[in-house]
Amino acid sequence: MAFDKVIRGGNIVTPSGCFTGDIGITGETITALGSALDAGGATVIDATGHHVLPGVLDVHVHLALPFMGAVSADDYRTGTRAGARGGVTTLIDFAIPAKGGSLADAARTWHAKAEGKSLIDYTFHICITDWEHHKDQIKGMVDQGFTTFKEFMIYESEGWQSDDRAMFGTLELMKEYGTMLLVHAESSRVLDELIARHHTPALMEKFGVKLHRMTRPNFIEAEAIQRAVAWSEATGGQLYIVHMSTAEGANIIRAAQARGVPVLAETCVQYLVLEDSVFDRPDGHLFACCPQLKKPADMDRLWRGLKAGEVSVISTDTCTFTRDQKAMWQGDWTKIPMGLPGLETLLPLTYTRGVLRRRMTLEEMCRKLSTNPAQIMGLAPRKGAIAIGADADIAIIHPTSTMKVEPATMETNADWSPYEGWELAGFARTTLSRGEVIVDNYRVVGREGRGKWLPRTTAGLAGAARA
Ligand code: URP
Ligand code: ZN
Ligand code: ZN
């Protein structure tokens, strides 16, 4: 077998174990695994003393998203460069219809955002924001290669909110088509009530951004997850709870899975490493995201949920806003564009705070960042594995050498970072996407626009990746 590239002598990480060896790559594909592979005339990439991981899939990303009166500041150029630097080789964004627009229009709009700009491969979850209008369009989107759909239980003012009728009806269709519904679970009416009770000039003057913490107690998420789970249980439709942030949520998912409900959950890395005391900082408004950051007990429960299996995936919910954009709040916490930068630091944070602090093994990290997201989202066996026949999407990281998080030196368009000053290991020394080196010696070298859209079929969707 003639190779174009051989990755030599690294610690190759798979979900079932690590071994020291070589990876042979021909064109875009992994064609051999072994030791002392004959490189012939191939380019040899020395990985000795490094971990060699399957490229990371960040399956919850918003690039150039119009939201809360702003447009999120990482687009497909900066966002995917940031991802590559953090070993991310595939992302899934959310195509959200404009008011009155169709699902197909939303997909077209998102294709146009990505084409010519994306450095890495991508696809979209299709958001259902108007059940009556969209329900008959879902099958057409499945036929176009979109197999995951999304509903928001909040964001009425954005025109995105779905009610129980929509969730119930969509889950029935998910069951019929063999597709999956992702849900942003927060209890809108009680949340509206808590916000209304606190939205007074006197309280805003007194508490500022702390009102974000005060108006989103854990039951806001827990009640909504419970309700979405009830509709999944009633219909048998596959459900996936996005960005789960609470201990209560993890308990509900665990119990539901134990009685056979087809529900999976992801958390985001910020819910594992940041606590809600950040809202006490003078720049606390920068940290407003939705759901909001929670308490150490929640963080601890989510880490345990990753280990035990009820939390299947770690993603980022990247939705970057600059300091200027965040400044739009002017003292009213309901006007802060919500979201955090994330793609660049997903792997470094998970590796440094998870693996190096012994909260998870390398193999478990591989499952939560690569294997499970690829399987759950219908991208396996092409993505998410170091295996013969898979795309040669690979991240090579040094086990211990750290870099300080400094926004000025990062690829993201954010001019701040929630992790500023943190010393993190796990930035990619080398990233390969479909056999091409796109990060070399920690610097992005790949060509803008080379990333490809990934069509999916329902045959690829595996709903049981809980380990
Ligand atoms: O704060 C966030 N997460 N912004 C993006 C929208 C969402 O709910 O995912
Ligand atoms: Zn959300
Ligand atoms: Zn999101």
Side-chain angles (χ1 to χ4, degrees):
M1 169 75 69
F3 305 121
D4 297 311
K5 295 188 180 76
V6 170
I7 300 175
R8 180 82 83 206
N11 178 42
I12 298 173
V13 182
T14 79
S16 49
C18 301
F19 60 95
T20 302
D22 302 343
I23 302 172
I25 298 169
T26 309
E28 299 190 342
T29 309
I30 296 173
T31 48
L33 295 172
S35 59
L37 289 181
D38 180 4
T43 304
V44 174
I45 299 171
D46 182 12
T48 50
H50 287 72
H51 298 311
V52 181
L53 309 163
V56 170
L57 290 87
D58 187 348
V59 299
H60 190 147
V61 172
H62 305 276
L63 297 177
L65 174 69
F67 182 50
M68 297 188 76
V71 177
S72 66
D74 274 313
D75 66 2
Y76 272 83
R77 196 185 78 77
T78 61
T80 60
R81 287 175 67 89
R85 185 165 174 262
V88 176
T89 50
T90 301
L91 68 80
I92 313 188
D93 196 337
F94 295 80
I96 308 181
K99 201 167 172 38
S102 69
L103 300 183
D105 286 341
R108 266 191 292 278
T109 303
W110 257 259
H111 274 302
K113 288 180 204 261
E115 273 162 19
K117 285 192 174 172
S118 192
L119 175 62
I120 61 174
D121 294 346
Y122 57 89
T123 185
F124 318 123
H125 310 289
I126 304 294
C127 297
I128 297 160
T129 51
D130 179 352
W131 169 243
E132 272 311 319
H133 178 206
H134 291 152
K135 63 184 175 193
D136 296 331
Q137 301 170 15
I138 295 173
K139 180 64 170 62
M141 299 312 292
V142 178
D143 295 340
Q144 280 187 36
F146 296 101
T147 51
T148 49
F149 296 84
K150 164 85 178 284
E151 285 173 353
F152 299 91
M153 293 172 78
I154 62 163
Y155 298 140
E156 189 168 29
S157 58
E158 299 290 330
W160 298 350
Q161 187 170 313
S162 287
D163 60 11
D164 288 349
R165 180 164 169 253
M167 270 195 298
F168 183 80
T170 307
L171 282 161
E172 284 182 323
L173 293 181
M174 298 298 105
K175 166 91 172 153
E176 184 180 339
Y177 302 149
T179 48
M180 181 163 76
L181 177 64
L182 285 65
V183 167
H184 174 137
E186 287 188 288
S187 196
S188 68
R189 291 293 166 245
V190 179
L191 177 59
D192 289 347
E193 174 62 17
L194 294 183
I195 289 175
R197 284 184 197 175
H198 291 83
H199 202 234
T200 68
L203 288 176
M204 288 196 278
E205 170 80 32
K206 183 164 178 201
F207 293 112
V209 74
K210 295 186 189 98
L211 289 166
H212 189 45
R213 179 172 62 203
M214 291 157 67
T215 50
R216 277 185 149 88
N218 283 21
F219 60 74
I220 292 291
E221 180 178 271
E223 186 279 333
I225 291 179
Q226 185 72 72
R227 194 148 32 97
V229 163
W231 304 143
S232 169
E233 189 160 21
T235 60
Q238 180 68 52
L239 174 67
Y240 176 101
I241 301 295
V242 299
H243 52 44
M244 189 169 70
S245 64
T246 56
E248 289 86 339
N251 294 340
I252 294 166
I253 298 297
R254 185 167 181 81
Q257 289 176 343
R259 47 178 209 276
V261 182
V263 60
L264 297 165
E266 80 177 7
T267 191
C268 300
V269 72
Q270 58 269 29
Y271 302 117
L272 297 168
V273 303
L274 292 173
E275 54 182 274
D276 67 1
S277 59
V278 293
F279 298 120
D280 298 327
R281 289 171 41 156
D283 62 353
H285 68 287
L286 295 175
F287 292 80
C289 59
C290 182
Q292 59 150 319
L293 302 167
K294 300 294 193 308
K295 307 250 179 272
D298 298 294
M299 297 157 69
D300 196 55
R301 178 66 184 86
L302 293 169
W303 280 113
R304 282 189 285 113
L306 286 161
K307 238 190 114 86
E310 57 268 23
V311 187
S312 297
V313 171
I314 311 175
S315 68
T316 63
D317 196 7
T318 294
C319 194
T320 305
F321 293 104
T322 61
R323 284 177 183 277
D324 267 1
Q325 290 176 310
K326 291 275 186 181
M328 284 166 50
W329 80 305
Q330 308 229 327
D332 178 348
W333 90 100
T334 66
K335 297 200 163 47
I336 309 171
M338 289 187 286
L340 302 176
L343 276 153
E344 200 155 354
T345 43
L346 170 59
L347 171 59
L349 286 166
T350 309
Y351 180 70
T352 306
R353 294 300 181 97
V355 177
L356 294 183
R357 292 203 180 172
R358 300 189 189 287
R359 297 195 105 122
M360 58 170 50
T361 63
L362 260 180
E363 290 87 345
E364 285 163 346
M365 182 180 80
C366 172
R367 250 177 250 146
K368 306 300 172 176
L369 295 182
S370 302
T371 322
N372 287 358
Q375 288 182 356
I376 292 169
M377 299 301 166
L379 290 165
R382 187 172 165 193
K383 300 294 188 188
I386 297 183
I388 292 173
D391 281 0
D393 288 2
I394 288 164
I396 304 177
I397 65 169
H398 191 276
T400 53
S401 108
T402 63
M403 288 181 150
K404 189 181 278 194
V405 176
E406 284 170 358
T409 64
M410 293 171 81
E411 291 291 341
T412 170
N413 236 349
D415 53 357
W416 70 285
S417 169
Y419 317 106
E420 194 156 345
W422 292 27
E423 286 285 348
L424 298 178
F427 286 102
R429 186 208 72 182
T430 312
T431 305
L432 288 98
S433 164
R434 281 182 282 102
E436 192 178 328
V437 174
I438 59 169
V439 171
D440 185 25
N441 198 19
Y442 298 98
R443 293 194 30 245
V444 177
V445 296
R447 182 176 44 85
E448 190 172 322
R450 61 166 297 288
K452 287 189 182 154
W453 172 64
L454 298 165
R456 293 173 285 164
T457 66
T458 52
L461 275 179
R466 286 182 203 156

